[in-house]
Amino acid sequence: MGHQWYAHGVSLTTYNKFVSELEFLFTKDFSNWQPIDNACRKYSIDLLIFSDLTAKPPSSPRSALYENEYYSIFTCGNYAKIK
């Protein structure tokens, strides 16, 4: 799969550990946001971008901040807004 990860101001070792621990967010299909929100809280992630090349966001209700036919942006963790 074509995942792109960006982290600024961290060592390559820290970055690689981060990627290996969070890759499941984009390789698994989820039925709800709970495991995603837990990971977002643990790693202080506020937003996730799902592209048409990554796994789909969970089907449980949560509105995207923005979406089009190629990608969608969702809040997660402490910033999650469930309607």
Side-chain angles (χ1 to χ4, degrees):
M1 294 195 120
H3 307 304
Q4 290 187 330
W5 298 82
Y6 299 98
H8 300 281
V10 298
S11 71
L12 188 56
T13 302
T14 301
Y15 172 80
N16 287 334
K17 182 176 187 268
F18 180 76
V19 169
S20 69
E21 289 180 9
L22 292 175
E23 187 172 30
F24 81 96
L25 293 174
F26 299 97
T27 58
K28 264 183 83 175
D29 288 329
F30 294 96
S31 60
N32 67 67
W33 283 91
Q34 191 61 48
I36 296 171
D37 286 334
N38 290 342
C40 287
R41 279 188 211 69
K42 181 178 179 181
Y43 292 99
S44 300
I45 298 169
D46 299 331
L47 298 172
L48 289 176
I49 301 171
F50 293 90
S51 77
D52 59 349
L53 300 175
T54 62
K56 302 283 184 242
S59 57
S60 62
R62 181 169 297 179
S63 297
L65 291 175
Y66 177 83
E67 64 184 329
N68 63 25
E69 65 268 21
Y70 302 110
Y71 65 92
S72 54
I73 302 171
F74 289 89
T75 58
C76 68
N78 292 331
Y79 292 92
K81 296 178 182 174
I82 300 173
K83 292 184 177 183

